[in-house]
Amino acid sequence: MKRIIIVMCICLAGITEIYAQYPYTLKKCLEEGLANNYSIRITRNEEQVSHNNATLANAGYLPTLDLSAGYSGSLDNTDSKNRSTGTTTGERNIYDQTLQAGLDVNWTLFDGFNISTTYKQLKELERLGETNTRITLEDFIAGLTAEYYNYVQQEIRLKNFLYAVSLSKERLRIVEERYHIGNFSRLDYQQAKVDFNADSAQYMKQQELVVTSRINLNELMAVQEVNRPLRLNDSIITVNDALNYDELWSATLSTNAGLLRADQNTTIAQLDYRKVLSRNYPYVKLKAGYGYTLNKYETNATSRRSNWGLNGGITIGINLWDGNRRREKRNASLAIRNSQLEREQLELGLKADLSNLWQAYRNNLRLLNLERQNLVAARENHEIAKERYLLGDLSGIEMREAQKSLLDAEERILSAEYDTKICEISLLQISGNEISRIIVIDFTTGLYFMTVIRTFAPNYH
């Protein structure tokens, strides 16, 4: 039994190790997240509700068919007095019965264009549901892409800290050896040890940040085991420096989901206004049915009577005044104006956001080029300092400064790459034209099958 348990543990460890080694590309993460994320699935269900509501029957185009049946009875006591003789005749426990059954059709043929307007409004609400789903998808894709590159950033930073630990360890080894032979003082040895411990603590802290980012990425993909091992295919952050502001702004005006939703809200407000106006027109309603009635009497000359046959009628009318129409018309007109103002406000806000992000994007690109040059200089400076330190021509403090300059340069270039990538993701999200090239959605089933075609990254595997 113990051997079986040991073998199972080894197998599970092997599976976990293989799973951990399986590289996840951004494309793979997006595919898994789009299929499983709870927010997307909830929004998709809400979209399906709006789709189910956009029917002719819900708008009032179709007639209603009602089948009804009923039974009633009366138990009476009767006293009758003859006027000529003065004789009173009494009847007790007279039980009369009535049985009814009928099939009725009610159809509103015309309701002042209210029915057609309602149907158009339901179809617009259906499109609004699709737009809300698209907005949720764009937010999710942008959020997961940002977290993906955050995880890449944290992994790179972890490697940099590990490299710093190795440098400090090597320095500590050299100082320790020379301290024992009397070339270095105890102060040099203690300082090297303090620096090694500080770098080790920073490395341990960075391990925590890597785990946190991995958990966040697994949560976005709706993985039940949020702490599962995850190895990414990308080991560097590749930025796209070919974005064009005019193209982005043009795409924003034409395809931004927020503007599209604002336009749809304006259309819905206009349809509400038309529904108020439809009450100025007459209405035409048709009613038809087939019924059967059975009456049973105990004291009448007729003991029972049966009636059956067709019935029908048409009603034409108009609402002349209800006291609220003028108020509702004014409010509906104000709602249209407010929706237009909200659209204009949103467009202005998007232009401001795009301009700010574009400025940050261009500045980060320039900063990135500068930091790349600084990194080359910092590496050369570190190599020179290392050679002088081994020869004994450089103090430990100066060597530490050279090492710190190299690590700071690597940290700055990593931050610049990540900041540029975040600006790039945000610019593409605002422009709105990426969503059509990112996913293809299959609406033919209740399930949400999606295939990622391309991502915010210009180059990916």
Side-chain angles (χ1 to χ4, degrees), residues 36-53:
N36 301 327
N37 183 266
Y38 290 104
S39 296
I40 293 178
R41 291 158 66 182
I42 292 172
T43 306
R44 180 67 180 93
N45 289 336
E46 293 173 350
E47 177 192 344
Q48 188 63 38
V49 170
S50 64
H51 174 72
N52 295 338
N53 289 335

Side-chain angles (χ1 to χ4, degrees), residues 111 148 185 262 281 311:
D111 194 15
Y148 178 90
S185 65
Y281 295 88
N311 63 83

Side-chain angles (χ1 to χ4, degrees), residues 110-113 274 277-283 317-319 325:
F110 181 73
D111 194 15
F113 305 106
R274 291 176 58 184
L277 294 181
S278 68
R279 291 158 62 181
N280 295 328
Y281 295 88
Y283 56 84
I318 185 171
N319 190 313
R325 197 175 311 172

Side-chain angles (χ1 to χ4, degrees), residues 7 29 38 121 197 210 284 311 322 327 344 357 407-408 446 450:
V7 171
C29 291
Y38 290 104
Q121 192 175 55
N197 290 337
V210 170
V284 180
N311 63 83
D322 58 11
R327 174 187 59 82
E344 295 173 4
L357 286 169
L407 296 176
D408 289 345
M450 304 179 186

Side-chain angles (χ1 to χ4, degrees), residues 215-233:
I215 292 175
N216 292 338
L217 193 56
N218 282 327
E219 182 184 10
L220 286 172
M221 291 188 288
V223 178
Q224 297 300 321
E225 183 54 45
V226 293
N227 200 28
R228 70 170 180 177
L230 190 65
R231 186 172 69 88
L232 301 185
N233 186 74

Side-chain angles (χ1 to χ4, degrees), residues 1 6 9 51 59 63 80 110 113 122 179 182 186 192 218-219 222 225 240 253 259 262 289 291 308 322 365 402 436:
M1 184 64 181
I6 293 174
C9 292
H51 174 72
S80 302
F110 181 73
F113 305 106
L122 290 174
Y179 167 70
R186 181 172 180 81
N218 282 327
E219 182 184 10
E225 183 54 45
N240 180 11
L253 293 176
L259 291 177
W308 65 88
D322 58 11
L365 284 177
S436 61

Side-chain angles (χ1 to χ4, degrees), residues 160-176 189 191-200 202 382 389 399-400 403-404 407:
N160 291 341
F161 287 155
L162 181 61
Y163 177 63
V165 171
S166 65
L167 292 178
S168 297
K169 185 177 181 181
E170 178 64 16
R171 175 188 164 203
L172 178 61
R173 183 189 65 81
I174 295 173
V175 171
E176 185 177 10
Y189 173 71
Q191 185 62 48
K193 191 173 182 180
V194 168
D195 293 338
F196 171 73
N197 290 337
D199 291 339
S200 299
Q202 199 170 23
H382 180 264
Y389 182 72
M399 180 61 197
R400 177 65 177 179
Q403 177 185 341
K404 188 175 183 302
L407 296 176

